[in-house]
């Protein structure tokens, strides 16, 4: 008997864990991630101003390429934040 | 856009709630990427704040105004208390027009062009879009700078199903023709 193994993989859908949301932004550190496209910086600048008015502390980061996922060091720089906003300009 | 959703997935997996700003033309790609990553479409509805496309040609003060108008929605999204009204746009494939499909998929096709590939739409019949992917060997010699076929098909179908019920994609992928010829 010949046993045939199909080398094709099957699409795998990873299970994703959604982070628990905070109850308030006041006093929290919020990360703002800019992807480098046009006006992403303006979106982030104004967001930073408004969230600061709401009592948040802002940490900013920028992706080296908008067409690639953020590299590990950029993600690491935001991993301590209570929440992140990622702005995709364009 | 798909990269921003991937960034969000990475941050969420590390326990960091993440909200994404995006232009509304990228909504189908956001849905498609979310589904590939194992999110529900509701994740996009709840955590992506869309702005009218384009934002690139707006003045800085205009962009500031967009954020001013959206900030309460952003705050609710961050806190997980956003009132979400998911767009209900799915409709039968009986009245599908290839031009309309081209417009729907244009942001994704543009991303593929940036990666050195062209997605041509040949036909749509009986709920199936027939498409061809041509990968420029000069720009992407081994073909790996473009999504693997199965992921690309999943992304295309998820994007299409944001508007059309049960749409499928038959993709003729030049990378597979190259393999078959070797």
């Amino acid at each position: 008997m010949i046993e045939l193994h199909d080398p094709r993989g099957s699409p795998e859908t990873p299970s994703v864990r959604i982070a628990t949301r905070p109850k308030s932004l006041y006093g929290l550190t919020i990360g703002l991630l800019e992807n480098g496209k046009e006006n992403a910086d303006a979106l982030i600048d104004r967001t930073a101003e408004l969230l600061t008015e709401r009592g948040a502390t802002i940490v900013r980061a920028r992706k080296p390429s908008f067409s690639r996922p953020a590299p590990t060091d950029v993600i690491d720089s935001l991993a301590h934040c209570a929440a992140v906003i990622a702005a995709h300009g364009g | 856009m798909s990269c921003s959703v991937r960034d969000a997935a990475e941050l969420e997996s590390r326990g960091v709630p993440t909200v994404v700003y995006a232009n509304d033309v990228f909504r189908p790609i956001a849905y498609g990427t979310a589904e590939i990553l194992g999110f529900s479409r509701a994740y996009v509805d709840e955590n992506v704040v869309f702005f009218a496309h384009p934002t690139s040609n707006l003045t800085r003060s205009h962009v500031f105004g967009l954020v001013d108008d959206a900030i309460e929605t952003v705050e609710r999204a961050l806190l997980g208390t956003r009132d979400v009204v998911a767009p209900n746009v799915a409709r039968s494939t009986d009245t599908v027009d290839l031009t309309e499909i081209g417009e729907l998929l244009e942001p994704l096709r543009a991303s593929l062009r940036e990666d050195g590939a062209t997605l041509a739409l040949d036909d749509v019949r009986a709920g199936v879009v027939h498409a061809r992917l041509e990968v420029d060997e000069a720009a992407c010699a081994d073909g790996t700078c473009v999504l693997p076929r199965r992921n690309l098909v999943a992304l295309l179908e998820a994007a299409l199903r944001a508007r059309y019920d049960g749409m499928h994609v038959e993709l003729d992928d030049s990378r597979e023709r190259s393999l078959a010829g070797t």
Side-chain angles (χ1 to χ4, degrees):
Chain A
M1 185 177 78
I2 298 174
E3 190 173 351
L4 184 63
H5 294 275
D6 187 341
R8 294 173 298 180
S10 57
E12 293 180 8
T13 301
S15 61
V16 177
R17 185 168 56 90
I18 305 298
T20 303
R21 268 48 190 165
K23 300 210 178 300
S24 164
L25 300 184
Y26 187 83
L28 299 184
T29 299
I30 307 295
L32 301 178
L33 175 60
E34 177 195 332
N35 79 336
K37 273 195 158 185
E38 296 89 344
N39 270 336
D41 58 342
L43 290 166
I44 288 299
D45 287 347
R46 184 57 176 160
T47 302
E49 290 175 2
L50 295 176
L51 292 182
T52 300
E53 290 174 5
R54 286 162 165 75
T57 300
I58 301 301
V59 171
R60 298 183 61 147
R62 181 184 167 104
K63 291 171 62 168
S65 169
F66 63 78
S67 63
R68 298 281 181 270
T72 301
D73 62 320
V74 172
I75 295 293
D76 286 347
S77 73
L78 298 169
H80 69 287
C81 295
V84 165
I85 297 171
H88 186 100
Chain B
M1 178 63 217
S2 62
C3 294
S4 294
V5 177
R6 286 176 189 278
D7 295 339
E10 176 63 26
L11 287 160
E12 294 277 1
S13 74
R14 294 193 186 200
V16 183
T18 302
V19 167
V20 175
Y21 289 172
N23 290 4
D24 54 7
V25 294
F26 296 114
R27 185 186 291 269
I29 295 179
Y31 283 142
T33 307
E35 288 188 15
I36 287 173
L37 294 174
F39 286 123
S40 67
R41 290 166 54 106
Y43 178 83
V44 172
D45 297 328
E46 292 166 4
N47 295 288
V48 181
V49 176
F50 289 102
F51 297 104
H53 182 74
T55 53
S56 59
N57 61 354
L58 301 179
T59 64
R60 188 171 172 83
S61 63
H62 195 160
V63 173
F64 275 30
L66 293 180
V67 178
D68 289 352
D69 292 343
I71 195 64
E72 288 188 12
T73 300
V74 174
E75 189 171 12
R76 288 197 296 272
L78 287 169
L79 300 175
T81 58
R82 184 177 179 189
D83 293 327
V84 173
V85 179
N88 182 19
V89 291
R91 67 174 208 242
S92 165
T93 57
D94 295 342
T95 57
V96 175
D97 173 74
L98 197 59
T99 303
E100 191 176 301
I101 288 176
E103 291 170 357
L104 178 67
L105 296 179
E106 179 51 29
L108 177 56
R109 297 169 77 193
S111 295
L112 289 168
R113 286 195 294 272
E114 289 176 1
D115 289 336
T118 303
L119 181 71
L121 303 174
D122 290 337
D123 191 15
V124 53
R125 355 179 251 282
V128 179
V129 174
H130 298 267
R132 280 177 294 116
L133 182 74
E134 300 290 344
V135 178
D136 181 352
E137 293 188 5
C140 183
D142 62 0
T144 58
C145 50
V146 178
L147 280 174
R149 182 183 187 283
R150 68 185 185 196
N151 287 355
L152 180 57
V153 168
L155 184 58
L156 289 166
E157 290 186 339
L160 288 165
R161 288 170 188 168
R163 186 171 298 176
Y164 308 108
D165 286 327
M167 185 71 83
H168 292 279
V169 172
E170 286 288 338
L171 182 65
D172 179 4
D173 189 328
S174 68
R175 294 171 293 183
E176 293 179 347
R177 291 201 300 275
S178 298
L179 285 173
T182 55

